[in-house]
């Protein structure tokens, strides 16, 4: 394996931000670290990067220990942090030149490497523009370019699509998939389960500092069993139904809707879990109509990682 995280813990004062976390990333895979805000993802990334020292445990990259050989680890690692580390008054190329020198890229290779990473991240045409004129998504792409300059073995992206326009988001996800196809190993953190589900081969689900499940997306989905997820978009969701009458509503639904295993509600959506959506649907819709809901649309799909998270923690991922 390329990366081995072994029993790593980190406290901030009395708060345990990362609690005895272990996982391994194989060469060439895109490994996802999925968890809500505050789960401990960035703290973990900071420890892998050697910016924070773990209280317990060790981290090995390509056999090199972050505690004993931090410089060897740094050389093999490209990190795209959540916070942008760019000079707005410099152009894209000037920023890359600065970072190439910081990372000891050999001078004779510098311009070729810069052209390459600009190409990979789709920024070639904006190379001479000042970073101050870039959108959030373009800055993030330039950060990825910076992280690739020294040809790392492992690329870590910490929530790379947060606060990014949809076009850049798609571009970033496509770029990561392409890089992995070319053999780069990627550790990708996110609280967007769709991204992780779409992009990552294996996933560790993290909550409150702990890894609560890990495996392939298919393996994780088995945690919720062979169930369908039925989403009903509704309007006129009476506040009384969601709030006060919640438990009662759920009990009534259980009684009147055959095949209903679980039911969740948020603002405009009711999500039902069932082993048989064809049996459930007519009764569920009739039940909702009888309670004053107006049905806008219905969709049936396999359970998402959201359902896995819900099952394991009782919480929604995006709370
Ligand atoms: N520098 C810090 N000082 C104190 N507490 C921190 C610091 N950084 C993070 N935390 C806390 O540690 C926990 C994990 O945070 P973080 O690693 O940023 O999670 P994530 O990246 O998954 O959102 C949170 O409870 C957060 O408030
Ligand atoms: Mg974070």
């Amino acid at each position: 394996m390329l990366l081995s995280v072994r029993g790593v813990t980190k406290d901030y004062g009395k708060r345990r931000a990362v609690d005895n976390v272990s996982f391994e990333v194989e060469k060439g895979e895109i490994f996802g670290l999925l968890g809500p805000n505050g789960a401990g993802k960035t703290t973990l990334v900071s420890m892998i990067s050697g910016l924070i020292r773990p209280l317990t445990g060790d981290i090995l990259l390509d056999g090199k220990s972050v505690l004993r050989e931090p410089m060897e680890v740094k050389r093999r690692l490209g990190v795209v942090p959540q916070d942008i580390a760019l000079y707005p008054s410099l152009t894209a190329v000037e920023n890359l030149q600065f970072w190439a020198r910081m990372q000891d890229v050999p001078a004779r290779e510098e311009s070729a490497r810069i052209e390459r990473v600009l190409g990979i991240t789709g920024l070639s045409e904006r190379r001479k523009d000042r970073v101050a004129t870039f959108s959030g998504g373009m800055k993030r792409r330039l950060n990825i370019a910076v992280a690739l300059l020294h040809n790392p073995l492992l690329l870590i992206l910490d929530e790379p699509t947060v606060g990014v326009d949809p076009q850049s988001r798609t571009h970033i996800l496509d770029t990561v998939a392409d890089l992995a196809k070319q053999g780069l190993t990627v550790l990708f953190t996110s609280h967007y389960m769709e991204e992780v589900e779409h992009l990552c081969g294996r996933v560790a689900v993290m909550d409150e500092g702990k890894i609560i499940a890990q495996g392939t997306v298919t393996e994780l989905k088995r945690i919720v069993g062979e169930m369908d997820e039925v989403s009903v978009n509704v309007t006129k969701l009476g506040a009384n139904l969601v709030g006060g009458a919640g438990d009662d509503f759920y009990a009534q639904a259980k009684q009147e809707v055959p095949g209903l295993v679980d039911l969740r509600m948020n603002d405009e959506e009711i999500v039902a879990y069932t082993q048989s959506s064809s049996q459930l649907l007519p009764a569920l819709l009739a039940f909702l109509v009888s309670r004053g809901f107006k049905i806008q649309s219905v969709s049936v799909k396999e359970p998402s990682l959201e359902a896995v998270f819900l099952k394991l923690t009782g919480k929604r991922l995006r709370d």
Side-chain angles (χ1 to χ4, degrees), residues 11-16:
D11 290 346
Y12 288 116
K14 283 192 186 137
R15 179 185 291 273
R16 181 140 292 184

Side-chain angles (χ1 to χ4, degrees), residues 247-264:
D247 284 350
D248 203 32
F249 180 76
Y250 177 61
Q252 289 168 13
K254 274 277 229 194
Q255 214 159 45
E256 292 183 36
V257 183
L260 181 66
V261 175
D262 200 359
L263 189 74
R264 304 281 164 179

Side-chain angles (χ1 to χ4, degrees), residues 153-223:
L153 291 177
L154 175 69
L155 179 69
I156 302 184
L157 300 120
D158 193 10
E159 304 226 37
T161 62
V162 167
V164 151
D165 56 281
Q167 196 193 341
S168 281
R169 180 175 189 241
T170 307
H171 194 284
I172 288 168
L173 296 176
D174 289 349
T175 302
V176 172
D178 280 349
L179 287 166
K181 269 193 210 123
Q182 292 162 35
L184 188 68
T185 309
V186 178
L187 176 62
F188 183 93
T189 90
S190 182
H191 67 278
Y192 296 120
M193 51 102 189
E194 309 92 344
E195 282 182 10
V196 168
E197 200 168 320
H198 168 76
L199 197 63
C200 302
R202 288 193 311 133
V203 180
V205 184
M206 201 171 175
D207 186 41
E208 295 180 7
K210 291 194 179 74
I211 290 186
I212 53 174
Q214 58 175 309
T216 63
V217 171
T218 310
E219 283 164 359
L220 289 174
K221 285 182 174 180
R222 271 189 220 125
I223 293 172

Side-chain angles (χ1 to χ4, degrees), residues 271-288:
V271 183
Y273 296 95
T274 179
Q275 253 123 20
S276 166
S277 47
S278 56
Q279 180 199 19
L280 171 106
L281 260 176
L284 178 67
L285 298 184
F287 173 76
L288 293 176

Side-chain angles (χ1 to χ4, degrees), residues 55-265:
L55 185 67
T56 67
D58 197 358
I59 296 160
L60 274 73
L61 177 59
D62 194 28
K64 309 291 178 191
S65 155
V66 75
L67 296 177
R68 282 175 280 114
E69 301 156 281
M71 291 318 290
E72 292 296 319
V73 170
K74 272 207 181 86
R75 247 202 285 164
R76 291 163 168 78
L77 186 63
V79 183
V80 183
Q82 257 176 309
D83 301 318
I84 311 284
L86 299 168
Y87 291 92
S89 58
L90 300 183
T91 67
V93 167
E94 288 164 346
N95 268 281
L96 288 165
Q97 284 167 341
F98 170 80
W99 284 106
R101 283 157 208 177
M102 289 290 284
Q103 291 166 345
D104 294 325
V105 170
R108 69 196 140 71
E109 283 182 34
E110 187 181 288
S111 57
R113 295 258 193 115
I114 289 175
E115 289 316 310
R116 178 173 166 268
V117 298
L118 282 170
I120 290 170
T121 51
L123 291 171
S124 298
E125 279 164 26
R126 300 295 300 268
R127 56 204 303 291
K128 294 257 169 70
D129 293 341
R130 290 188 329 134
V131 167
T133 67
F134 281 17
S135 70
M138 288 168 62
K139 288 180 195 163
R140 198 61 60 92
R141 277 147 64 180
L142 187 53
N143 252 353
I144 297 175
V146 168
L148 292 171
L149 270 176
H150 63 299
N151 288 339
L153 291 177
L154 175 69
L155 179 69
I156 302 184
L157 300 120
D158 193 10
E159 304 226 37
T161 62
V162 167
V164 151
D165 56 281
Q167 196 193 341
S168 281
R169 180 175 189 241
T170 307
H171 194 284
I172 288 168
L173 296 176
D174 289 349
T175 302
V176 172
D178 280 349
L179 287 166
K181 269 193 210 123
Q182 292 162 35
L184 188 68
T185 309
V186 178
L187 176 62
F188 183 93
T189 90
S190 182
H191 67 278
Y192 296 120
M193 51 102 189
E194 309 92 344
E195 282 182 10
V196 168
E197 200 168 320
H198 168 76
L199 197 63
C200 302
R202 288 193 311 133
V203 180
V205 184
M206 201 171 175
D207 186 41
E208 295 180 7
K210 291 194 179 74
I211 290 186
I212 53 174
Q214 58 175 309
T216 63
V217 171
T218 310
E219 283 164 359
L220 289 174
K221 285 182 174 180
R222 271 189 220 125
I223 293 172
V224 291
E226 297 281 309
M227 274 202 283
D228 285 335
E229 191 177 291
V230 179
S231 303
V232 186
N233 274 83
V234 292
T235 49
K236 235 187 94 207
L237 226 173
N240 54 328
L241 289 173
V242 181
D247 284 350
D248 203 32
F249 180 76
Y250 177 61
Q252 289 168 13
K254 274 277 229 194
Q255 214 159 45
E256 292 183 36
V257 183
L260 181 66
V261 175
D262 200 359
L263 189 74
R264 304 281 164 179
M265 292 187 275

Side-chain angles (χ1 to χ4, degrees), residues 18-80:
V18 172
D19 191 355
N20 192 24
V21 163
S22 300
F23 64 91
E24 290 184 344
V25 179
E26 305 287 341
K27 207 171 173 329
E29 75 174 327
I30 307 181
F31 189 92
L33 195 58
L34 177 68
N37 284 328
K41 304 181 297 293
T42 298
T43 305
L44 192 53
V45 167
S46 301
M47 289 191 285
I48 298 170
S49 320
L51 298 173
I52 298 179
R53 196 180 169 85
L55 185 67
T56 67
D58 197 358
I59 296 160
L60 274 73
L61 177 59
D62 194 28
K64 309 291 178 191
S65 155
V66 75
L67 296 177
R68 282 175 280 114
E69 301 156 281
M71 291 318 290
E72 292 296 319
V73 170
K74 272 207 181 86
R75 247 202 285 164
R76 291 163 168 78
L77 186 63
V79 183
V80 183

